[in-house]
Amino acid sequence: QITLKESGPSLVKPTQTLTLTCTFSGLSLTTRGVGVGWIRQPPGKALEWLAIVYWDDSKRYSTSLESRLTITKDTSKNQVVLTMTDMGPVDTATYYCAHRDYDSHPDRAVDHWGPGSLVTVSS
Amino acid sequence: IQLTQSPSSLSASVGDRVTITCRASQGISSYLAWYQQKPGKAPKLLIYAASTLQSGVPSRFSGSGSGTEFTLTINSLQPDDFATYHCQQYHSYPWTFGQGTKVEI
């Protein structure tokens, strides 16, 4: 059974850097085709895809946020970390991590999501 | 690739048939997924590859389309179906989502 859970600060100040950790079980980021990504959702607004890292350490980022984002994996801890620099009030959102396996399911995108972590940006 | 969902919200009754449309700004073949989201919860995958039902999802949900126009249909709406529905394209990066459709009683 695949489970993911996000952790990190619930409140950050403007201009600070946000670091979020996704801890997962039931999957391995050493398995071909497996990826873990991040999606966010401002209150009452649409989902926005941020980034994904795959088993082979390939990474993809949102074009509009790429300069502020870094995604890394730690296979020994079963974790994926997302950092976002220069946080502002517009970055207030629930941040989700999610799983993808394009080798087992080549026609599917993300299928398992964490419960989400609300991050508020305020001074 | 921009995704435009319509309508942004709708009111329906139990037993109704509901159709939601998602239009892509360019062709995405069948690389489209539909998610259901309830308040305070993470999205749940309903349909992928435009028309394939995720395991465990009731058969009253169906998806169709390819290229630039897609639909999600809910036959015989049930009380548990009142939620927000999102489409997502994964044809090319950056992945994108529609703005969501809220289905209300």
Side-chain angles (χ1 to χ4, degrees), chain A residues 41 49 54 96 100 107 110 114, chain B residues 35 37 41-42 90 93 95:
Chain A
Q41 185 175 36
W49 178 76
Y54 287 100
Y96 298 98
R100 185 194 190 193
D107 55 353
V110 293
Chain B
Y35 299 90
Q37 186 179 30
K41 300 294 186 182
Y90 49 103
Y93 293 101
W95 291 348

Side-chain angles (χ1 to χ4, degrees), chain A residues 6-100:
Chain A
E6 307 84 356
S7 60
S10 59
L11 179 66
V12 298
K13 290 180 167 45
T15 75
Q16 285 187 334
T17 294
L18 171 67
T19 299
L20 290 171
T21 300
C22 176
T23 303
F24 50 82
S25 63
L27 68 100
S28 173
L29 264 176
T30 61
T31 301
R32 177 183 172 80
V34 173
V36 172
W38 290 89
I39 300 108
R40 72 177 180 180
Q41 185 175 36
K45 295 189 177 180
L47 296 163
E48 179 181 22
W49 178 76
L50 300 176
I52 191 165
V53 60
Y54 287 100
W55 64 286
D56 59 356
D57 209 33
S58 60
K59 302 166 186 178
R60 298 287 188 146
Y61 292 98
S62 160
T63 305
S64 60
L65 294 169
E66 185 167 11
S67 63
R68 299 173 53 204
L69 294 173
T70 303
I71 189 169
T72 59
K73 62 180 175 70
D74 186 332
T75 54
S76 65
K77 294 182 180 178
N78 279 353
Q79 291 180 335
V80 168
V81 174
L82 181 77
T83 60
M84 181 179 290
T85 61
D86 193 24
M87 294 289 286
V90 298
D91 298 311
T92 294
T94 297
Y95 287 75
Y96 298 98
C97 62
H99 160 268
R100 185 194 190 193

